[in-house]
Amino acid sequence: MQKLDPEMMKKGYEHLCNLLTDQKAFDEMLDKSFETVQKAKAGTLTIEELQKGMSEAMEAKGMKAPPMPREAVEKMFNEVTSDKTKAMTKEELSKKLREILEERKKKAEEMMKK
């Protein structure tokens, strides 16, 4: 795994914290995520589209990160297109996203301690 630049890690951590505390930012992410799930449900979502959307979202937050590895995007695509995810209501997706953000925040805190 590539070593992350400490400044990038700090920005990523701040972004996670912001998503967990700023309801408007969280709602925007939830809307985008739900839209993505709806595309998956309709069978119109592609891996390339998912990767492009993730890159654009990061750049919009001022984070210049290398593109996510193909395996990571494929894993996320499989999760988004799974029957379980496609069956989620917006409320269920909201709860799941909060859990993921909390988990990532903890991981980021551990990585920054090293």
Side-chain angles (χ1 to χ4, degrees), residues 65-79:
M68 277 182 85
R70 178 79 181 188
E71 310 82 63
V73 177
E74 286 175 0
K75 182 179 177 210
M76 191 171 290
F77 181 81
N78 290 338
E79 204 169 296

Side-chain angles (χ1 to χ4, degrees), residues 4-12 14:
L4 288 174
D5 155 25
E7 191 56 36
M8 184 63 76
M9 278 179 44
K10 187 173 182 278
K11 270 189 175 180
E14 287 168 357

Side-chain angles (χ1 to χ4, degrees), residues 7-22:
E7 191 56 36
M8 184 63 76
M9 278 179 44
K10 187 173 182 278
K11 270 189 175 180
Y13 178 74
E14 287 168 357
H15 178 60
L16 286 171
C17 291
N18 184 52
L19 286 172
L20 287 164
T21 57
D22 180 344

Side-chain angles (χ1 to χ4, degrees), residues 62-105:
M63 293 188 277
K64 296 279 185 222
M68 277 182 85
R70 178 79 181 188
E71 310 82 63
V73 177
E74 286 175 0
K75 182 179 177 210
M76 191 171 290
F77 181 81
N78 290 338
E79 204 169 296
V80 171
T81 57
S82 73
D83 290 340
K84 183 180 175 192
T85 302
K86 290 191 293 188
M88 283 183 175
T89 63
K90 198 167 187 177
E91 291 73 30
E92 290 168 328
L93 185 60
S94 174
K95 186 176 180 231
K96 178 75 175 163
L97 287 172
R98 275 206 189 277
E99 288 171 9
I100 291 168
L101 290 171
E102 289 289 355
E103 195 178 294
R104 288 184 180 168
K105 182 182 168 197

Side-chain angles (χ1 to χ4, degrees), residues 22-40:
D22 180 344
Q23 190 61 47
K24 185 177 182 289
F26 181 83
D27 288 346
E28 285 173 9
M29 182 190 70
L30 175 61
D31 288 345
K32 277 276 189 209
S33 299
F34 193 66
E35 189 180 298
T36 301
V37 170
Q38 293 307 305
K39 281 185 174 184

